Amino acid sequence: MRVDPRDPRLPTSPGFWRSPLRGPWFTSVLGLVLLAGITVLFVTGLVSYAAYNPDLSPVNDKTPDKGVLGFYLFAWPTNPHWLYRLNQGVHVTLGITLIPVLLAKLWSVAPRLFVLPPVRSLAHALERISLLLLVGGGLFECVTGVLNVQLDYVFPGSFYPLHFYGAWVFFAAFVAHAVLKTPTALRNLRRLREGGDDLVSPRPAEPTVSRRGALWLVGGGSLLLFATTAGQSLGGAWRRTALLAPHGGGEPGSGPNGFQINKTAAYAGIDAAETAGDAWRLVVTGRTGTIRLSRARLAELPLYESALPIACVEGWSTPDQRWRGVRLRDLAALVGYEDDPPDVFVESLQRHGAFRKAALRANQVADPRSLLALYVNGADLSPDHGHPARIIVPAAPGVLNTKWVARMTFGDL
């Protein structure tokens, strides 16, 4: 039996789509919001990539074979110390806040996804392909980002390359779409007439809400997501408002070590026998050779204090904690780098998983606030916070603040 694509019971028929809300004005408002928001997301995503100093060492970069896509414009600074915290807070919170806008935009243009014939010309085919990449890429970035924030790694492979390559595919399609559609969207905002557009239903149903009311509904959904997410980046009492974030709610535990972590000592496979005072030694290698330092010997060196947060790629961060330990540049001086501290390669007791090794650039080593921390908030580090010693560097992503440090190798990387 031959199927008539104009049958109003089929999505290929304009009569199937009966909502009176659809139209160029409604779609254009959503599109312009996404134009601004997605541009900020892409820029903050690139800044987040730069924060890892990806050209310093392969262990810092989880996007192999990136080619020209991994262009790198500057060495990551240590000032201001809250820079990464701000960038990731904006990136993650804005991404979640835009979810209702993205879904509403996809709903508003759904009729165009079923238009027949699917391809009318070469130019139309290219437009359809770009639309497929735009819709698919947007949903892919949204889903992988949300799962990462929730620490729910059900997708195959590593989050880093999936989100990185997906972002480039999506943004290329987004730029092409924006170039083609932004002038039209601006014209639509100045029009009051909705007729003559394929988004307008030829037989609309009775309206139950106005277009402006629908926009308020979408905006309210975004505001709700913002209010239940942003607190994980603000810390303090605001953290209790982050109901949708795994690091929301009250501070975990109590006492000096009562602040957020992603990875426990048990999860990392840290054996308490390895970190005991009579067994653990920090191996430091540099220009003049190798030395081995016990925790007691480290505690006898000049100790300094830094007030720094932990900020992670998932968007959560802690308030500033008071860390106390040996300056990284002083450790470099012990192995022959008195005046010119170089890069350092840091290795953890953790034997499996991502970022058990990390590299820090010379400017990070030289900063007087960069420490091999032994204490936090006046107490010994707990096992989950990296006992017997951990790295803490201003403005660095949390994964580069290596815990359970076993070896440090100074030199140009």
Side-chain angles (χ1 to χ4, degrees), residues 52-71:
Y52 286 78
N53 284 321
D55 69 333
L56 182 61
S57 172
V59 300
N60 281 16
D61 191 2
K62 303 302 179 182
T63 54
D65 305 320
K66 58 191 180 296
V68 296
L69 297 181
F71 65 89

Side-chain angles (χ1 to χ4, degrees), residues 91-100 146 149 225-226 229 232 244:
H91 184 76
V92 171
T93 304
L94 178 60
I96 292 175
T97 300
L98 287 176
I99 288 175
V146 168
V149 169
L225 289 178
F226 174 83
T229 303
Q232 71 165 346
L244 297 184

Side-chain angles (χ1 to χ4, degrees), residues 284-291 335-336:
V284 184
T285 300
R287 181 186 289 160
T288 57
T290 297
I291 59 174
V335 287

Side-chain angles (χ1 to χ4, degrees), residues 29 75 77 106 199 245 274 345 402 409 411:
V29 172
L106 294 178
L199 292 177
E274 294 180 285
F345 185 72
T402 308
T409 303

Side-chain angles (χ1 to χ4, degrees), residues 73-90:
L73 299 178
F74 57 92
W76 188 247
T78 56
N79 284 306
H81 73 275
W82 40 260
L83 179 59
Y84 189 75
R85 179 183 186 180
L86 173 65
N87 184 81
Q88 282 310 103
V90 170

